[in-house]
Amino acid sequence: ISSFEAQPISIEVQEGGVARFACKISSNPPAVITWELNRTTLPVTMDRITALPSGVLQIYDVGQKDAGNYRCVATAVAHRRKSMEASLTVVPAKESESFHVPTILAGPQNITTSLHQIVVLECVATGSPKPIISWSRLDHKSIDVFNTRVLGNGNLMISDVQLQHAGVYVCRATTPGTRNFTVAMATLTVLAPPSFVELPESLTRPRAGTARFVCQAEGIPSPKMSWLKNGRKIHSNGRIKMYNSKLVINQIIPEDDAIYQCMAENSQGSILSRARLTVVMSEDRPSAPYNVHAETMSSSAILLAWERPLYNSDKVIAYSVHYMKAEGLNNEEYQVVIGNDTTHYIIDDLEPASNYTFYIVAYMPMGASQMSDHVTQNTLEDVPLRPPEISLTSRSPTDILISWLPIPAKYRRGQVVLYRLSFRLSTENSIQVLELPGTTHEYLLEGLKPDSVYLVRITAATRVGLGESSVWTSHRTPKATSVKAPKSPELHLEPLNCTTISVKWQQDAEDTATIQGYKLYYKEEGQQENGPIFLDTSDLLYTLSGL
């Protein structure tokens, strides 16, 4: 058992109000926490008093009889610790005071738990009249009534936690007979051991052939997948490759005949599944196809051609074409099987502006040739599949700052060498066009008319040509006044953990007098915008969580 990580703190509460004490201690197995008032064990069977397993004491409808010194007692198997004492002072209630909006003194905290545990989400609220506490889920799913009950005056207890209990829970404190309410929310994350979604199947393959085992598992956190051969860990090499859920063995040799195990593991446990690879031997196999060459056809197609094997070519019943991206690590290899009546093939599902590596294998009924020599060839660039997303802001009545994000690689289809901006007044038909280098990501239009609606669109181009234009986006310039609009602050983003980002900015000295507040927007790439979040002039930091 540890020392106390948090101890109760002395408080002063009005008669009829709510008192809350908390203590925290670490112990394995977990300690049982009880409370004492003036060094006498406090009975918690009363409706007004609730002791939570987490080490929180809640006292509702406080009266003079509750005044005194409180401490918590943590009892483990072989240890017992007592916290420092904290006093509760009860003062007369102020007659005139009335709350229009209830106050949540202690809302629920984010909790990560395992299956079958007991979880308590705390919610303590005060107000006049006494607020009503209710619970809901942010995703509007109904709360499980079989394993859930209210503990004390509004805490939510979930016993025998299951995966479906995971989610964001909202505590709502409402003033009776009104629409005045306050909410607090917290995320319950339920960890789960791995379970298989797809199991590997046993295979029989000829020598020099290819074997593919597929194994998929789910769990929270996502399980790490690994492969074993006869109980020993496999490492990727040129012939054996492991992808997220696949084990691919190329150019099979007799030593590959074995039991292969797929292992999925996370912090909650691990599971194993197994499959057998049986290797069929044949000595009289053909030699490898030779003189392999590739020719680029388009941005998505490459023609592959080869000569038949010099030895035993009459026994060839099929060819397999193997290809994968040449750049990067652990790229997935793809395979196409074709008949023995051709020595060329067009692969037409490739990504633009990418290098690919190819090789060919010849098959007979009971075996396969060695791999042919590898060849590498690149696809051509193509026009961008979609335009950048633009945003429009004005710094003065006569300008519009156009800014845009780079196009994601899968839609760029090559290197952007040029952006074409088109703009016009909404009341006129004549369009003005500007061409900018592909390295720019903003442009300031100046000399515009105040209080006028302008339409702007953007097109991106690779060396092949221009892609589709964006839709016209409208923006009204501000009215002409003596006050200059402030600059948009430069943002500094810092990840705090895997779901939280800290956003910081500074105030421009010349704008200090004019700024009345900030609006913060954010979005996941390709998704809808979130916001605005309204912030005060003094706010120069905001933490985005739950990402």
Side-chain angles (χ1 to χ4, degrees):
I1 192 167
S2 70
S3 300
F4 279 100
E5 296 163 29
Q7 308 230 29
I9 298 166
S10 296
I11 50 172
E12 187 179 276
V13 177
Q14 290 182 28
E15 280 189 286
V18 181
R20 179 184 181 273
F21 293 105
C23 68
K24 186 178 179 186
I25 199 165
S26 295
S27 170
N28 191 10
V32 175
I33 294 178
T34 54
W35 288 86
E36 292 181 355
L37 168 59
N38 298 328
R39 308 210 169 184
T40 303
T41 301
L42 186 69
V44 290
T45 52
M46 306 157 67
D47 289 342
R48 297 185 308 110
I49 300 176
T50 306
L52 304 184
S54 57
V56 171
L57 178 69
Q58 302 165 347
I59 307 169
Y60 278 81
D61 196 17
V62 168
Q64 288 296 338
K65 59 186 176 300
D66 299 312
N69 294 318
Y70 289 79
R71 70 178 179 185
C72 70
V73 180
T75 307
V77 176
H79 295 85
R80 183 182 172 91
R81 288 195 193 276
K82 295 176 181 178
S83 73
M84 293 190 298
E85 290 187 322
S87 64
L88 170 57
T89 306
V90 181
V91 297
K94 296 174 185 174
E95 293 291 330
S96 59
E97 192 165 348
S98 65
F99 298 93
H100 296 294
V101 178
T103 303
I104 293 179
L105 297 179
Q109 301 296 306
N110 292 342
I111 296 176
T112 299
T113 188
S114 303
L115 290 172
H116 311 302
Q117 300 298 308
I118 295 173
V119 163
V120 177
L121 296 167
E122 184 184 8
C123 194
V124 181
T126 183
S128 179
K130 180 182 171 184
I132 298 165
I133 292 178
S134 59
W135 286 90
S136 62
R137 287 176 56 115
L138 196 61
D139 57 10
H140 305 299
K141 289 182 182 174
S142 58
I143 289 179
D144 175 12
V145 292
F146 297 107
N147 291 318
T148 307
R149 68 182 180 90
V150 174
L151 188 64
N153 281 272
N155 310 291
L156 189 70
M157 185 170 90
I158 305 171
S159 54
D160 191 23
V161 167
Q162 303 293 325
L163 275 176
Q164 67 264 26
H165 292 130
V168 178
Y169 287 79
V170 182
C171 162
R172 177 170 170 147
T174 308
T175 303
T178 73
R179 292 186 178 179
N180 295 331
F181 65 89
T182 306
V183 298
M185 58 184 75
T187 302
L188 174 60
T189 303
V190 180
L191 303 179
S195 61
F196 283 119
V197 177
E198 185 175 0
L199 296 168
E201 295 181 356
S202 292
L203 302 171
T204 299
R205 290 289 182 269
R207 180 175 175 172
T210 299
R212 277 181 175 75
F213 293 106
V214 180
C215 178
Q216 289 185 315
E218 61 186 9
I220 302 171
S222 291
K224 178 189 168 195
M225 310 293 290
S226 56
W227 290 88
L228 310 173
K229 175 186 174 184
N230 291 339
R232 297 193 176 189
K233 202 157 191 175
I234 300 173
H235 299 284
S236 283
N237 58 36
R239 201 172 57 82
I240 299 173
K241 289 191 168 61
M242 285 175 284
Y243 309 107
N244 289 337
S245 59
K246 292 180 187 172
L247 172 67
V248 180
I249 305 170
N250 292 303
Q251 287 297 300
I252 291 171
I253 59 177
E255 289 76 12
D256 294 328
D257 190 310
I259 299 285
Y260 290 85
Q261 292 165 299
C262 161
M263 183 162 71
E265 55 186 331
N266 67 9
S267 59
Q268 302 301 294
S270 64
I271 48 173
L272 276 169
S273 177
R274 66 180 190 170
R276 175 74 191 258
L277 173 60
T278 304
V279 179
V280 180
M281 308 295 287
S282 173
E283 293 304 322
D284 201 22
R285 55 187 178 147
S287 58
Y290 71 103
N291 196 18
V292 179
H293 52 280
E295 187 179 327
T296 301
M297 306 290 288
S298 70
S299 63
S300 62
I302 287 176
L303 168 66
L304 204 62
W306 59 93
E307 302 279 351
R308 296 180 185 277
L310 290 169
Y311 175 68
N312 271 348
S313 65
D314 56 322
K315 295 182 179 177
V316 172
I317 58 167
Y319 295 100
S320 64
V321 175
H322 301 251
Y323 60 100
M324 65 189 293
K325 273 193 168 181
E327 284 102 8
L329 297 171
N330 247 11
N331 289 320
E332 186 158 0
E333 183 177 283
Y334 299 93
Q335 179 182 12
V336 182
V337 178
I338 56 175
N340 65 350
D341 56 346
T342 184
T343 54
H344 62 267
Y345 186 75
I346 295 174
I347 299 103
D348 59 3
D349 58 352
L350 307 176
E351 292 182 15
S354 301
N355 279 326
Y356 284 86
T357 298
F358 305 86
Y359 68 89
I360 318 288
V361 175
Y363 283 86
M364 57 183 281
M366 291 299 288
S369 71
Q370 297 278 1
M371 293 183 276
S372 70
D373 290 338
H374 288 57
V375 293
T376 301
Q377 187 72 6
N378 64 287
T379 51
L380 297 173
E381 289 189 328
D382 207 336
V383 298
L385 201 56
R386 73 179 195 194
E389 297 179 38
I390 61 172
S391 68
L392 308 175
T393 54
S394 285
R395 176 96 214 280
S396 77
T398 59
D399 69 34
I400 296 176
L401 177 67
I402 308 167
S403 55
W404 56 94
L405 294 169
I407 305 172
K410 66 178 178 179
Y411 302 117
R412 201 164 54 232
R413 306 210 292 187
Q415 183 183 350
V416 174
V417 294
L418 174 143
Y419 290 106
R420 179 178 287 175
L421 286 176
S422 308
F423 67 99
R424 66 180 174 91
L425 266 169
S426 62
T427 54
E428 297 178 3
N429 289 326
S430 63
I431 298 172
Q432 292 179 264
V433 177
L434 296 165
E435 292 196 344
L436 305 170
T439 52
T440 52
H441 293 296
E442 64 176 28
Y443 185 79
L444 185 67
L445 292 177
E446 296 180 285
L448 307 178
K449 293 181 181 179
D451 195 22
S452 301
V453 174
Y454 281 85
L455 301 175
V456 180
R457 72 180 179 190
I458 190 170
T459 314
T462 60
R463 281 182 279 264
V464 178
L466 290 159
E468 280 188 37
S469 298
S470 64
V471 295
W472 287 104
T473 304
S474 64
H475 179 79
R476 182 182 287 275
T477 51
K479 293 179 180 177
T481 65
S482 57
V483 179
K484 197 177 182 186
K487 287 181 192 167
S488 289
E490 188 176 333
L491 298 180
H492 300 278
L493 307 181
E494 183 184 349
L496 300 181
N497 59 37
C498 62
T499 59
T500 309
I501 290 177
S502 161
V503 186
K504 295 179 185 173
W505 59 95
Q506 290 182 328
Q507 217 171 62
D508 199 293
E510 63 185 76
D511 290 334
T512 306
T514 58
I515 292 177
Q516 297 176 349
Y518 297 98
K519 290 181 186 176
L520 179 68
Y521 299 83
Y522 68 98
K523 63 177 219 165
E524 187 177 347
E525 190 175 302
Q527 302 296 316
Q528 281 194 316
E529 192 168 68
N530 296 289
I533 298 164
F534 293 94
L535 302 167
D536 291 334
T537 319
S538 57
D539 292 330
L540 299 173
L541 167 70
Y542 190 82
T543 303
L544 290 170
S545 57
L547 304 177

